[in-house]
Amino acid sequence: MFNVMAEQMVQECNRMERETSELSAQGMELDGAISELKSLSAMGEAVTKLEHLRVQLDTEDMILRQMAQALNKALLYYMSCENRVCGNAEQSVVTYAQRETGMNRFSAIADILDGI
């Protein structure tokens, strides 16, 4: 049977959001270091490498944000669906109309069939 641990998904979303915040902070520090190194002579190669690392950091940040958003939306859709299923199950009260029952005399049918 399919089972989702919603609390664990919420914790993972929160952890991913914290990591994206940390990546953003590291990116700002890296930007500061790049701007400081640009003012120094003979740091062109180091600046180029750091700029390349900055691009990689931005890419990882974007991917992690998208993953967190996808997990968050999946959790919201799952909870919405689960609530809808539970609501429908609780509201599904079936009432049957009362029917009258009668007695059949099969002996009379047997007499008719014997006559045929």
Side-chain angles (χ1 to χ4, degrees):
M1 181 170 172
F2 184 73
N3 187 14
V4 170
M5 296 180 207
E7 184 61 34
Q8 186 175 4
M9 290 176 73
V10 169
Q11 290 173 358
E12 287 302 313
C13 282
N14 291 335
R15 186 181 63 81
M16 285 181 176
E17 288 173 1
R18 283 191 309 270
E19 286 184 19
T20 58
S21 297
E22 188 173 324
L23 284 176
S24 295
Q26 289 176 358
M28 290 191 316
E29 285 182 32
L30 191 55
D31 284 339
I34 290 171
S35 65
E36 290 293 323
L37 287 176
K38 280 184 179 180
S39 65
L40 300 174
S41 61
M43 289 294 168
E45 186 178 336
V47 168
T48 304
K49 287 180 182 178
L50 288 176
E51 287 174 341
H52 180 70
L53 289 174
R54 178 64 171 139
V55 170
Q56 287 179 338
L57 187 67
D58 285 341
T59 303
E60 288 182 23
D61 184 40
M62 180 188 62
I63 290 170
L64 190 58
R65 284 182 194 274
Q66 289 175 348
M67 288 172 56
Q69 185 180 18
L71 184 60
N72 194 14
K73 284 192 182 254
L75 177 62
L76 290 174
Y77 289 143
Y78 176 79
M79 295 303 290
S80 171
C81 182
E82 186 178 81
N83 289 339
R84 206 169 49 242
V85 167
C86 289
N88 288 341
E90 290 172 357
Q91 293 176 5
S92 295
V93 176
V94 179
T95 56
Y96 295 99
Q98 183 178 359
R99 297 200 165 202
E100 292 184 25
T101 58
M103 303 245 335
N104 289 329
R105 287 186 31 224
F106 292 109
S107 61
I109 293 174
D111 292 340
I112 293 173
L113 291 176
D114 286 339
I116 296 180

